[in-house]
Amino acid sequence: AVLWVILLRRTVKQRTAQLRTLLQTIPDLVWLKDAQGIYLMCNPAFEQFFGASEAEIVGKTDYDFVDKALADFFREHDRLAAQAGKPMANEEWLTFAGHSERRLFETIKTPMFDEKGGLLGVLGIARNINDRKLAEEALRRSEQKFAAAFRASPDAIMITSGNDGRFVEISDAVERMTGFSRAELLG
């Protein structure tokens, strides 16, 4: 029995060390709150968001670190995830403590339940998607410019699908030269 207790303690310590290492190194913001919204733990990336150490964050709520409107927003999404009983994702603009630049984050909140289905709290993970969103917007603008230039070209330009030769895009000049409408030619 003593050997079993020693092995169990060693396993718990190893698992705790593994979890702590994971939380310390992941670049995403990670936190745990209890069912009342009180912080239980967080990682260094999350500490940077509040501009406080984990020791200063644990035992407090969002209302201790951000304005009421943002704290209400965070708590509402905690509640929605708990109510849904499954992970819920949303996008939110965040400004880190001591910085003026806002960044867009995708946040996933996952409710945690005990073996009887009682809510223990919420696990939150927020990933910075600002650069991805900027790239998506740049791509969308580029595609719009290309489409406008393509369609307005004075030359008859047709893009066909690879195997069957169906028209997938045509310039306006094709319509003028053939007398067929875009709808008649595409597909």
Side-chain angles (χ1 to χ4, degrees):
V2 173
L3 180 59
W4 182 81
V5 170
I6 291 170
L7 291 174
L8 182 60
R9 285 183 184 162
R10 184 180 300 150
T11 300
V12 169
K13 285 181 182 181
Q14 288 172 343
R15 296 290 179 173
T16 301
Q18 291 167 347
L19 177 60
R20 181 57 63 185
T21 300
L22 175 66
L23 286 174
Q24 297 300 314
T25 58
I26 192 166
D28 296 338
L29 283 67
V30 180
W31 65 95
L32 290 172
K33 293 181 192 175
D34 70 11
Q36 289 73 45
I38 297 171
Y39 284 97
L40 302 172
M41 67 184 311
C42 65
N43 72 343
F46 190 84
E47 290 174 326
Q48 291 175 9
F49 170 53
F50 277 170
S53 69
E54 182 179 28
E56 295 168 315
I57 295 169
V58 170
K60 296 183 178 155
T61 71
D62 295 312
Y63 295 95
D64 295 308
F65 298 97
V66 297
D67 66 57
K68 183 181 180 326
L70 187 57
D72 287 345
F73 176 85
F74 291 160
R75 288 298 294 148
E76 176 64 11
H77 283 88
D78 292 347
R79 187 190 66 72
L80 290 172
Q83 184 178 32
K86 63 181 183 178
M88 301 287 292
N90 66 285
E91 291 181 357
E92 50 198 39
W93 287 95
L94 302 177
T95 303
F96 279 56
H99 294 71
S100 59
E101 184 178 358
R102 289 171 28 116
R103 293 250 178 218
L104 184 62
F105 283 77
E106 178 182 53
T107 300
I108 300 171
K109 294 191 174 183
T110 303
M112 299 177 298
F113 299 100
D114 63 21
E115 63 278 351
K116 295 179 183 176
L119 181 66
L120 293 172
V122 175
L123 164 68
I125 301 174
R127 173 164 289 163
N128 184 337
I129 60 169
N130 203 67
D131 291 342
R132 183 183 83 197
K133 285 293 187 175
L134 290 173
E136 288 172 357
E137 180 60 26
L139 178 61
R140 186 187 63 74
R141 284 192 309 269
S142 176
E143 288 173 344
Q144 288 175 337
K145 288 178 186 176
F146 170 78
F150 177 87
R151 292 208 43 200
S153 172
D155 298 322
I157 305 172
M158 298 161 279
I159 299 175
T160 60
S161 62
N163 295 334
D164 60 11
R166 292 177 191 234
F167 294 122
V168 293
E169 189 55 76
I170 61 169
S171 65
D172 293 346
V174 173
E175 287 182 283
R176 287 191 304 274
M177 290 178 175
T178 65
F180 292 104
S181 72
R182 175 178 303 305
E184 293 171 308
L185 292 171
L186 294 181

